[in-house]
Amino acid sequence: MSIDTTAIDQQLAELELCELSRGPRTQAEKLQFSNASLSTPEEYYIQFLSLYTLKGDFLNAKLLWQRIPLDVKESSDILSTLWDLIRFLIKRDLPAFFHFAGGVLNDQNYPGSFRYLLRQVCDNQKLHAINLLGDAYSCVTMSFVCDLLNVPESEATSLMFSRGWKSCPEGKFLLHSVDPLQKVCVDESQQTNNDDIMSKLADFMCFIENH
């Protein structure tokens, strides 16, 4: 992923230690955290799941979801919403994720702290998606990017331009060109690998002929 996970890892370590030492079991139980904002099991698991999601660690997010007490899951609409979002990411259904997340971010009924975490996840997933596009395509339509990221054309243009894409004169297509120096390095690396393979193959053939 494109984020620095150092701070996330530190927060996860604290939450994991809490779970190992005296993990919350009921909605009424109060927890002792260095972060005073996490006072209930619901808040604890929301942050726990959000951090795994922000890091892109969906395996641990799935395992954590299975460990969350049933009464906590059933009583929390926010946890259910968060898990629905995570499932979209696990299935790699980015359009569905961004569409659903956009509705949540615009819903003032969700706490600001949760929407802040979700916005970070969305921003990171957008950069991840654009990087994937750059690896797979040299040309995409603007409408495709807008539909994929669930953003207006102006935001799609800004995001894509920031990652090295350019617009064609008509504005309907976005073009991505590899840095020539980077391409030369890649080509030279591939040539070196090919030379190594051919050299090893020649050595092997000599061995076969002499034995």
Side-chain angles (χ1 to χ4, degrees):
M1 306 293 279
S2 59
I3 59 173
D4 181 2
T5 62
T6 303
I8 295 176
D9 288 337
Q10 291 175 348
Q11 294 178 67
L12 283 172
E14 179 182 349
L15 295 172
E16 289 165 353
L17 180 61
C18 176
E19 184 184 35
L20 288 172
S21 60
R22 50 160 302 182
R25 297 186 179 277
T26 66
Q27 188 73 292
E29 183 180 357
K30 295 295 181 180
L31 305 175
Q32 299 298 323
F33 290 102
S34 59
N35 186 341
S37 65
L38 300 178
S39 59
T40 68
E42 180 190 32
E43 293 168 346
Y44 167 82
Y45 284 118
I46 288 172
Q47 177 143 341
F48 211 161
L49 271 177
S50 296
L51 290 174
Y52 274 139
T53 308
L54 183 58
K55 188 179 177 181
D57 189 349
F58 303 124
L59 175 59
N60 273 318
K62 185 176 182 179
L63 294 174
L64 175 60
W65 177 256
Q66 294 172 347
R67 298 196 305 270
I68 297 176
L70 184 60
D71 62 322
V72 177
K73 288 192 284 191
E74 290 181 342
S75 62
S76 174
D77 292 337
I78 298 176
L79 275 174
S80 296
T81 296
L82 180 55
W83 178 240
D84 286 340
L85 289 163
I86 293 171
R87 288 196 300 172
F88 286 132
L89 293 176
I90 292 175
K91 295 176 182 178
R92 300 182 181 180
D93 190 348
L94 289 179
F97 167 79
F98 287 123
H99 179 75
F100 190 16
V104 175
L105 290 173
N106 291 325
D107 190 341
Q108 299 299 319
N109 291 320
Y110 287 97
S113 57
F114 172 63
R115 286 185 284 120
Y116 172 77
L117 285 170
L118 179 56
R119 188 171 291 106
Q120 288 185 302
V121 172
C122 287
D123 290 344
N124 195 54
Q125 286 299 319
K126 286 175 183 177
L127 291 179
H128 179 59
I130 293 172
N131 288 338
L132 289 178
L133 288 177
D135 291 338
Y137 302 102
S138 59
C139 179
V140 293
T141 62
M142 179 66 75
S143 60
F144 173 78
V145 176
C146 292
D147 291 341
L148 174 65
L149 303 181
N150 191 43
V151 294
E153 185 173 318
S154 58
E155 184 176 346
T157 301
S158 177
L159 287 169
M160 297 296 279
F161 280 17
S162 70
R163 308 302 291 182
W165 290 74
K166 297 180 180 180
S167 177
C168 69
E170 297 82 4
K172 295 182 179 180
F173 296 91
L174 291 164
L175 307 175
H176 186 258
S177 58
V178 180
D179 184 351
L181 180 59
Q182 180 182 355
K183 187 176 188 303
V184 168
C185 293
V186 172
D187 290 343
E188 289 180 349
S189 176
Q190 291 176 341
Q191 182 62 43
T192 300
N193 290 336
N194 290 337
D195 291 343
D196 289 342
I197 293 172
M198 293 304 295
S199 176
K200 291 177 181 178
L201 180 59
D203 291 341
F204 178 71
M205 293 303 296
C206 290
F207 175 82
I208 294 297
E209 292 174 357
N210 295 326
H211 291 79

